[in-house]
């Protein structure tokens, strides 16, 4: 039995596994059972995905050999080739692209298939940087809007207390947050449960009655997708109107609340109170106003406002689904402002909201493998890579380009490592497929993966990668946590599979960079090097690699006995410990956003803005249902697709309320067609009252599988989603979808 970290996909957790091996084969997987399980240092128990991983490890569809495309891109027609032929072709294409277009034509896209140091895109980025660089990116598909919006209020992303402090809360609002399914840090659901056992009231606000709502909450409040900022604004109205705010804290620690607090240069601008009471637009943001927008009864809105404002300290935890929408920045900022005006910032049991990285140091690193400096200074928003393929030379600051006034070239070569975001996880799959099918645009596409994913089917060369059980690795927590987990090599790689690091080393050799790239280190050597980085920073007491391996503990953790509270010093003395905002205070009104001069899309105070696809827009006549693509226990995004144990327990279905199914003559288990102008999906449905009427949910991550007519038959929600981006963060808005649903014809 070997203890190891659960393979480091982007699941929201980092857990400890017990892997049982017989004759070089994994025969059973269990999870953490260390004695002394405490709130300060809890066990890191894996979910069903980690426990079922053996079925992925030995899946018959795993890639075993290098492949060369012999058909059209996307057809999935390949032939087996040798490693030498594959590596020679790659080196030749790299040299050709570099000579013809320069290094900014290369792109190593966002991909979250591995964070174990040795497998993952970081290994390719290191080589690219040594080779002269590549077009870079910033933000992510997960956190773009929330990462950009939070600092506009607090000046930092480190706005979260250590989670043990949740046990000091008396009220917890789980807003668009579902830790029981997507984890959001191993044990987040455990800490909520413990807080509830101590008497905290827990309310879940979500379009779906999620597993978190069922298991953790005292109350579920369904809300129409994309309208969270409307409900938050109405809650703020109630608090201000009924004098439930922490007026002293607002006066001493905030700017922009009312006309007396406006920053220099914006004295006559609209304050937050002006917005709430309709001073400028004539519309007071009352619960009555919000009810018609968000679908939450006015009495419920007012009650939740009073509860959160008076049952203190309280946590308003914002999940990420509500910020992957058309104006996702607004709900984030509105939640931060609710925390501020109630005085729940900088106190034990409170929560400043926003992205909430862990105090005091920002929490886990995720990756410490050294990629070096990128000689190419141009970077783009991660979600806009298709734009850089189509019109890169025309992209500049207005398109989110940083580092240069304008891109020098379009993307011509993509090296996708541990990445299914080119096709499956990007918005508007059919559009992306058309872009990648054109070999005059992206001239060379290299993919490294464990399986022939929808993205890999468009590759010119596909390289087979071993799993994290078949190489060395190291991981720390996912957003939260105070532990380092060792991932020793447990079994040998099958077939001709290799680690991403070894593949990159062999490409480096073809480019004359092998010694510079490897520094003559093996995979295990780099894990030892990575442990040293943790020893020099967050974990000075972490054992050596030999000690950790020989102990078979699998983990080094630091108990949290006195949880850190974000902004405690600022709360105590804002003059001595100012925030890193322009004013040094919490910016309810952002002068920086005001000066951008785009108030309709980027207002200086958080506002509800009707989405570009909405039940209230003209598109609703044709497409009346809001669709969302939530996380699901059968997959980690698109990873673990095809694992029969998980699919039996959590089959891919369209979830639809009987209120919407009835007029369409749809019965439970029927095959239904979901479509809009971007494409169509056919999949079985599940009728359930656990979703708000007017909303349907299709779990994200199912592999795009089009039939001869282009209709997806697997349930890929990104056939329906859009490639449009949010105005401030240039982030993905893939949850803003309007669709129609009907019973599918027999096929």
């Amino acid at each position: 039995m070997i203890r190891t970290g659960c393979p480091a996909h982007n699941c929201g957790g980092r857990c400890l596994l017990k892997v049982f091996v017989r004759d070089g084969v994994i025969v059973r997987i269990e999870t953490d059972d260390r004695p002394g399980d405490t709130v300060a240092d809890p066990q890191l128990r894996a979910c069903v995905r980690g426990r079922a991983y053996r079925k992925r490890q030995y899946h018959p569809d795993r890639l075993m050999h290098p492949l060369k495309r012999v058909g059209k891109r996307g057809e999935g027609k390949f032939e087996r080739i040798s490693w030498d032929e594959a590596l020679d072709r790659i080196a030749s294409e790299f040299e050709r692209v570099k000579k013809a277009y320069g290094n900014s034509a290369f792109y190593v896209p966002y991909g979250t298939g591995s964070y174990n140091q040795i497998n993952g895109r970081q290994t390719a980025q290191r080589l690219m940087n040594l080779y002269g660089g590549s077009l870079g990116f910033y933000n992510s598909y997960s956190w773009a809007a929330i990462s950009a919006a939070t600092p506009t209020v607090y000046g930092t992303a480190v706005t979260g207390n250590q989670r043990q402090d949740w046990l000091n809360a008396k009220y917890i609002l789980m807003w668009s947050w579902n830790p029981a399914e997507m984890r959001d840090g191993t044990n987040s659901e455990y800490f909520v449960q413990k807080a509830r056992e101590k008497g905290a009231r827990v309310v879940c606000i979500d379009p779906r009655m999620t597993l978190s709502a069922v298991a953790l909450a005292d109350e579920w409040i369904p809300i129409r997708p994309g309208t969270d900022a409307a409900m938050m604004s109405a809650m703020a109205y109630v608090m201000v109107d009924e004098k439930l705010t922490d007026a002293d804290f607002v006066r001493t620690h905030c700017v922009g609340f009312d006309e007396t607090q406006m920053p220099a240069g914006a004295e006559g601008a609209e304050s937050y109170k002006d917005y709430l009471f309709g001073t400028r637009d004539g519309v007071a943001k009352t619960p009555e106003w919000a009810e018609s927008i968000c679908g939450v009864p006015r009495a419920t809105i007012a009650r939740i406002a009073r509860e959160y404002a008076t049952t203190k300290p309280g946590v308003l935890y914002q999940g990420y689904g509500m910020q992957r929408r058309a104006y996702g920045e607004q709900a984030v900022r509105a939640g931060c402002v609710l925390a501020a005006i109630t005085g729940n910032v900088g106190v034990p049991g409170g929560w400043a909201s926003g992205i909430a990285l862990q105090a005091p140091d920002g929490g886990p690193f995720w990756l410490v493998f050294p990629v070096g400096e990128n000689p190419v200074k141009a970077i783009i928003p991660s979600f806009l890579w298709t734009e850089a393929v189509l019109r890169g030379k025309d992209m500049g600051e207005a398109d989110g380009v940083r580092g240069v006034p304008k891109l020098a070239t379009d993307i011509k070569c993509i090296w996708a490592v541990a990445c299914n975001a080119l096709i499956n996880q990007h918005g508007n799959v059919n559009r992306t497929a058309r872009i990648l099918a054109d070999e005059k645009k992206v001239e060379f596409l290299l993919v490294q993966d464990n399986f022939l994913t929808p993205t890999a089917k468009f590759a010119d060369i596909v390289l087979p990668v071993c799993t994290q059980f078949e190489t060395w690795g190291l991981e720390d927590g996912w957003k939260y946590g105070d532990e380092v987990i060792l991932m020793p090599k447990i079994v040998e790689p099958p077939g001709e599979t290799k680690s991403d690091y070894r593949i990159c080393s062999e490409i480096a050799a073809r480019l004359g960079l092998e010694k510079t790239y490897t520094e003559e280190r093996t995979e295990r050597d780099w894990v030892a090097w990575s442990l040293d980085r943790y020893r020099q920073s967050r974990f000075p007491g972490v054992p050596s690699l030999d000690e950790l391996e020989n102990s078979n503990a699998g983990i080094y953790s630091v108990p949290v006995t006195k949880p850190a509270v974000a902004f405690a010093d600022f709360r105590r003395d804002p003059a001595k410990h100012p925030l890193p905002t322009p004013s040094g205070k919490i910016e309810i009104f952002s002068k920086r956003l005001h000066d951008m001069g785009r108030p309709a899309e980027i207002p200086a105070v958080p506002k509800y803005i009707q989405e570009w696809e909405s039940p209230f827009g003209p598109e609703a006549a044709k497409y009346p249902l809001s669709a969302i693509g939530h996380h699901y226990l059968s997959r980690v995004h698109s990873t673990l697709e095809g694992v029969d144990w998980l699919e039996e327990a959590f089959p891919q279905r369209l979830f639809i309320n009987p209120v919407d199914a009835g007029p369409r003559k749809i019965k439970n288990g029927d095959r239904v067609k979901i479509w809009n102008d971007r494409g169509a999906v056919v999949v079985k449905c599940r009728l359930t009252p656990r979703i708000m009427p007017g909303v349907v949910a299709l779990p994200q991550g199912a592999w795009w599988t089009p039939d001869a007519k282009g209709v997806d038959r697997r349930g890929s929600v990104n056939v329906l989603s859009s490639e449009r981006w949010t105005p401030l963060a240039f982030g993905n808005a893939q949850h803003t979808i309007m669709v129609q649903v009907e019973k599918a014809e027999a096929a």
Side-chain angles (χ1 to χ4, degrees), residues 233 235-263 266-267 269-277 279-280 333 337-338 340-343 583 585-590 604-606:
S233 298
M235 287 173 61
Y237 176 93
V238 171
M239 294 173 189
V240 176
D241 187 54
E242 298 182 7
K243 296 181 172 53
L244 301 177
T245 63
D246 187 333
D248 288 340
F249 181 79
V250 171
R251 177 176 52 81
T252 56
H253 290 71
C254 303
V255 297
F257 174 72
D258 61 21
E259 68 277 3
T260 69
Q261 288 191 316
M262 301 304 287
E267 291 85 354
E270 182 183 36
S271 70
Y272 189 55
K273 187 175 180 181
D274 286 337
Y275 168 67
L276 295 180
F277 285 83
T279 304
R280 305 294 176 93
R333 299 190 70 236
V337 169
L338 284 178
I341 66 175
T342 55
S583 66
K585 296 184 178 183
I586 298 170
E587 299 203 338
I588 297 173
F589 177 101
S590 170
V605 296

Side-chain angles (χ1 to χ4, degrees), residues 678-716:
R678 291 180 287 272
V681 174
V682 172
V683 70
K684 288 184 178 180
C685 72
R686 177 173 295 168
L687 273 60
T688 174
R690 293 184 172 186
I691 190 167
M692 186 177 189
V695 183
V696 295
L698 187 62
Q700 64 97 3
W703 284 12
W704 178 56
T705 309
D707 62 17
K709 296 180 180 179
V711 176
D712 173 63
R713 293 281 172 169
R714 183 67 183 155
S716 176

Side-chain angles (χ1 to χ4, degrees), residues 495-533:
E496 296 183 272
T497 63
K498 302 178 182 183
S499 71
D500 285 321
Y501 172 74
R502 184 178 171 193
I503 292 170
C504 292
S505 301
E506 294 181 1
I507 296 173
R510 296 298 201 280
L511 301 174
L513 295 168
E514 182 178 18
K515 285 190 176 181
T516 307
Y517 178 81
T518 66
E519 299 182 16
E520 300 185 331
R521 289 190 175 99
T522 64
E523 287 101 329
R524 189 182 188 279
D525 293 337
W526 277 114
V527 169
W529 183 94
S530 299
L531 266 179
D532 285 341
R533 303 288 81 70

